[in-house]
Every structure is written in structure tokens, then in C-alpha cells.
Amino acid sequence: MDGSIDDKSEDSPSSSGSSQPQNLSTVVHTITAVPTAIPNQPVEEDGEGHLVRTDTDIGIEKRREILSRRPSYRKILNELSSAEAPGIAKIEEDKEEEAAITSIQTTIPSYVQTSAGQTIQIAAANQNELTTQGLQTITMTNAGQGAVTAAAMPAGTTIVQYTQGDGSQQFVTVPAGEVQAYQIRAPSSLPAGVVMATPTGITSPQQLAEESARKRELRLMKNRYKNREAARECRRRKKEYVKCLETRVAVLEQQNKTLIEELKSLKELYCHKAETE
DNA sequence: GTCTGAACCCGTCAGGTGCT
DNA sequence: AGCACCTGACGGGTTCAGAC
């Protein structure tokens, strides 16, 4: 790993526990390299309550063993439901779920990268409504702006404006001169709603390097988004799986009770019969 | 009112798995 | 081999109940 991106403060405003859509017009540009914990290594307490990683291979092997034995929740649950009693729901991508996923996809933010390596998030209420046709640029003169805005934006800052399908307008700002250097396009390789801005007329190696770094960052961003969704799904399935197991336990306990009762009554019947004979 | 620990949720990363 | 997907682990945030 070349250092992870600590984007919790801005890239993930919803990390507070509520999974709301990310705020409109959020500027996403904090990319801080921090040492990441290496997961999947055994952990020990250091005596002060702090967790310290150790290098014992036992933990790794154990985990491998567990991993190699454990199929996905989807598989487990589906097997359970096919082999077991009714009432245990199969995990499948029903239409409701698909609809939900679609709605998530259509509300994801869009990103435009600047040449400074910053990523500006364009939050579109519906990605289908984010069209290049709706894009306009306004170059600020820095005169007569409101106090806060003027202070935050240097002269010549360009505002990218786009109009959404519902008529509402969104603005993002880009440092002077950068917008002119970009073509806004939506490549098919990006997730829905992610707009990539590519500089035109790149010639120098430095620009190429910058561009490849930008592409890498966009790819990572795309992966993170996908993985975020995947993690949500995984947790949902896990919950469902646990619920299913709980239901199964309850059913089996009830069966057990019934069988014990049956055994009791049969025993009594047998004893009674033996006495009379 | 403040502290604290537990429970829960979320995003991210790494590594495994299955498919092409 | 490369890719997409899945899931465990981790760290951080929030909420809430109980102790002081």
C-alpha cells in the first residue's frame, strides 16, 4: 500500500452513523496519507488496554482456515432455506431491492477533478439529469461578491454551473483557468453519476504523470463507492442470515419441546399399560 | 450534568473466491 | 491473469443506559 486516503472528514460526511446522501456541493479534496492498520493480523493487548499486533502465524492460519470453510451468507442462507422448513426466506435480489439500489445509484455525487489534483464533487439529485448540456461556466471577477464568498474565492475563480432536470441549479468552483482546460465527459467505465474531466492538450511528462495520478484517484474513488455499497449489502445479508438462524433456533426449540411432551405422554401411556397388565 | 462502557452503524482496506 | 464481488477486520462516530 502506498498510503491510504483519509477522507473521512469530507469524503464521508455520512460516517456519523446516518447513511444520508452526501451533501450537495460538498468539496472533496482532502487527500492525506496516513499509515493504515494492517488488518487480519493477530492482536494482543499491551497491558495498557492498547491493542498491539503480533506476527504469529497461528492467527493467520486460523483465519485462512475459517475463510476457506465459510461460504457467503447468501449461499448459506439459500442452502438453509432450500433444505429447511418454510418461513426461512431466501436471499435474492428482489425487485424492491433493485429499486432501492437504483435509487442509490441515481443519487450518488459526481466528481470533477481539477489539475491541482483536487476533486470537486458535483452532487446531482439524479445522475441522469447531470448532462453536459446543462453545464455552464461563469468566471468570477471577485467584485461585489458577498463577504464570505469573496473571501473564499480568489479573483478569476470559475464557477461551474449546471442545471438539473428539476430546474434547480448547482454550482461548483474551480480555480482560475482550469475549466477551460477540461472537457466534461461521462465515460462508461465510471460508476453512474461520476463525471470525469480530462485536460485537453496534455504534452509534458509531468502532465501525463498528473493525469495518471488523477485517473488512479478516480479509479480508487469508484472502487470505494462500489465497496461501500457492497459492505452495506453484505451487512444486510448478514443481519438477514442471523435473523434466519434465530428463527430456526426458535422453531427447533419448539419442536424439541413438542417431542419431549410426546415422549412424556408415551412413557406415561406405556407405564400405565404395564401396570394394568 | 458529566463520564464511561456497551452496542450499533458506517466507510475503508485487504484478501479470498469465482468467473471470463 | 484480470476483474468484480464478498466479507472479515479495523477505526471512528453516535446513541443510550447506568454510575457518580
Side-chain angles (χ1 to χ4, degrees):
Chain A
M1 263 259 297
D2 52 344
S4 73
I5 294 148
D6 185 15
D7 48 10
K8 272 195 167 39
S9 57
E10 294 183 69
D11 192 12
S12 309
S14 62
S15 67
S16 61
S18 59
S19 57
Q20 297 157 346
Q22 308 198 347
N23 288 339
L24 296 182
S25 306
T26 305
V27 177
V28 184
H29 59 87
T30 305
I31 299 169
T32 313
V34 290
T36 17
I38 301 157
N40 311 330
Q41 281 188 2
V43 167
E44 276 180 9
E45 281 215 11
D46 64 358
E48 292 178 15
H50 300 115
L51 296 178
V52 173
R53 294 181 187 289
T54 62
D55 272 338
T56 51
D57 291 333
I58 302 162
I60 296 168
E61 273 179 21
K62 256 190 181 177
R63 189 171 171 269
R64 284 220 179 105
E65 216 176 291
I66 292 165
L67 277 171
S68 64
R69 261 191 268 138
R70 187 176 185 85
S72 75
Y73 294 120
R74 195 197 299 264
K75 268 188 187 171
I76 295 169
L77 196 52
N78 285 345
E79 276 167 19
L80 271 177
S81 58
S82 60
E84 269 295 330
I88 296 171
K90 258 192 174 181
I91 295 183
E92 54 188 357
E93 284 75 22
D94 53 13
K95 282 176 185 173
E96 198 177 310
E97 189 186 324
E98 276 178 15
I101 290 168
T102 305
S103 87
I104 290 166
Q105 284 173 341
T106 55
T107 55
I108 64 164
S110 303
Y111 301 93
V112 173
Q113 281 214 332
T114 70
S115 65
Q118 293 180 323
T119 300
I120 295 173
Q121 175 185 352
I122 302 176
N126 185 329
Q127 55 100 2
N128 296 325
E129 294 162 357
L130 177 64
T131 64
T132 51
Q133 288 174 338
L135 279 165
Q136 300 177 29
T137 61
I138 303 165
T139 303
M140 280 181 65
T141 59
N142 202 19
Q145 299 296 319
V148 176
T149 311
M153 295 180 190
T157 295
T158 301
I159 300 174
V160 179
Q161 175 196 27
Y162 68 91
T163 309
Q164 298 187 110
D166 61 0
S168 64
Q169 295 186 329
Q170 298 293 329
F171 299 90
V172 294
T173 63
V174 179
E178 289 200 353
V179 164
Q180 290 88 333
Y182 289 91
Q183 295 174 322
I184 307 294
R185 62 185 176 88
S188 57
S189 60
L190 287 174
V194 174
V195 174
M196 195 162 95
T198 48
T200 55
I202 289 176
T203 50
S204 76
Q206 196 191 343
Q207 279 177 315
L208 281 171
E210 279 180 8
E211 174 61 5
S212 67
R214 251 195 307 280
K215 278 181 180 170
R216 183 176 171 276
E217 190 53 39
L218 270 174
R219 199 181 63 243
L220 288 176
M221 218 182 294
K222 175 189 167 187
N223 287 344
R224 276 199 291 270
Y225 172 75
K226 275 191 165 183
N227 194 239
R228 197 182 304 153
E229 298 295 316
R232 279 194 202 126
E233 273 303 290
C234 181
R235 284 174 179 133
R236 190 189 61 77
R237 280 194 295 270
K238 192 172 183 176
K239 270 187 178 175
E240 205 170 326
Y241 170 65
V242 169
K243 261 189 195 173
C244 171
L245 285 183
E246 283 169 355
T247 308
R248 202 161 163 242
V249 166
V251 167
L252 290 175
E253 274 177 349
Q254 190 55 46
Q255 277 182 0
N256 201 30
K257 265 187 191 174
T258 311
L259 287 172
I260 287 170
E261 289 299 317
E262 207 179 321
L263 182 65
K264 252 188 193 175
S265 57
L266 283 172
K267 263 186 184 172
E268 273 174 18
L269 195 68
Y270 177 76
C271 290
H272 191 68
K273 209 179 174 186
E275 273 175 20
T276 52
E277 282 175 359

